[in-house]
C-alpha cells in the first residue's frame, strides 16, 4: 500500500516517471501477495493507466485500464462507479488516440452509471458531462 501511495503522491507533484515506477513496484507486490484479481491490483492499474493516458502512452494505458476494468467488473459488476471511472479514462484515451465514436460510447455508459449511483449534482457527473461535451465539440456535434 505504501508504494501505491508513493505513486499517487509522485503523480500529484508532477513526477510522472517516478509515479509509474512506484506503481510498477506496487503491482508486483500486490499481484504476488494478493493475486491478479484483487481490487487493490485494479486500483493500481487504474491509477497507472490514467497516468499513462496523460503521458500519451496510449497502448500501455489501455492495457492497464482494460485489466483494471476486468477486475472491477469481476467484483462489482459493470454498474459500479469504479467501473464508470475506468470507462471514462478509456473514453479519454480513445478520444485522443483512437476512435472518437467509441469514446462517446464509453462516456455515455460512464455517465449513466454515475447519474444513477451518484445523482445529477455530483462533481464526478459534472466531470463526465464536461468530457462528453469536449468530445462532441471535437466531433462537431452541437
Amino acid at each position: 500500500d505504501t508504494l501505491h501511495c508513493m505513486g499517487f503522491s509522485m503523480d500529484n507533484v508532477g513526477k510522472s516517471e517516478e509515479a509509474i515506477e512506484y506503481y510498477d513496484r506496487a503491482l508486483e507486490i500486490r499481484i504476488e501477495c494478493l493475486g491478479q484479481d484483487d481490487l487493490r491490483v485494479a486500483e493500481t492499474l487504474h491509477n497507472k493507466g490514467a497516468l499513462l493516458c496523460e503521458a500519451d502512452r496510449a497502448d500501455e494505458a489501455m492495457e492497464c485500464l482494460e485489466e483494471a476494468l476486468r477486475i472491477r467488473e469481476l467484483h462489482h459488476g459493470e454498474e459500479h462507479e469504479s467501473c464508470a471511472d475506468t470507462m471514462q479514462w478509456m473514453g479519454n484515451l480513445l478520444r485522443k488516440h483512437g476512435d472518437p465514436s467509441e469514446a462517446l460510447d464509453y462516456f455515455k455508459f460512464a455517465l449513466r452509471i454515475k447519474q444513477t449511483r451518484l445523482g445529477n449534482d455530483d462533481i464526478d457527473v459534472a466531470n463526465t458531462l464536461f468530457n462528453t461535451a469536449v468530445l462532441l465539440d471535437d466531433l462537431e456535434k452541437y
Side-chain angles (χ1 to χ4, degrees):
D1 287 346
T2 301
L3 291 170
H4 174 89
C5 290
M6 288 296 297
F8 187 81
S9 296
M10 290 294 110
D11 182 22
N12 282 338
V13 297
K15 296 183 177 184
S16 299
E17 289 306 314
E18 288 179 51
I20 291 168
E21 290 174 20
Y22 278 113
Y23 284 143
D24 284 339
R25 290 173 51 204
L27 278 170
E28 288 176 26
I29 293 169
R30 284 182 167 187
I31 291 168
E32 182 180 320
C33 295
L34 305 169
Q36 181 67 38
D37 293 336
D38 190 86
L39 282 170
R40 289 165 287 190
V41 172
E43 176 187 26
T44 303
L45 285 165
H46 171 92
N47 287 4
K48 181 182 175 188
L51 181 59
L52 290 167
C53 180
E54 290 175 346
D56 291 327
R57 292 167 59 179
D59 291 339
E60 294 171 88
M62 188 57 84
E63 185 178 308
C64 289
L65 294 169
E66 286 174 343
E67 182 63 7
L69 182 61
R70 182 195 69 77
I71 297 166
R72 287 176 166 180
E73 286 179 342
L74 178 70
H75 287 272
H76 300 301
E78 67 180 18
E79 299 290 321
H80 192 268
E81 55 266 20
S82 68
C83 296
D85 288 339
T86 301
M87 287 182 207
Q88 183 169 328
W89 274 105
M90 294 168 83
N92 288 335
L93 187 62
L94 288 166
R95 182 184 144 256
K96 291 169 64 177
H97 299 285
D99 179 356
S101 62
E102 188 178 358
L104 184 58
D105 292 338
Y106 277 99
F107 286 149
K108 286 180 179 179
F109 197 82
L111 180 61
R112 185 183 56 74
I113 293 169
K114 289 180 179 190
Q115 285 176 320
T116 301
R117 304 282 262 181
L118 305 172
N120 288 328
D121 296 330
D122 189 86
I123 189 73
D124 282 342
V125 172
N127 183 274
T128 305
L129 283 168
F130 175 79
N131 285 328
T132 304
V134 169
L135 175 61
L136 290 171
D137 186 57
D138 290 349
L139 295 171
E140 298 182 356
K141 292 186 178 183
Y142 306 109

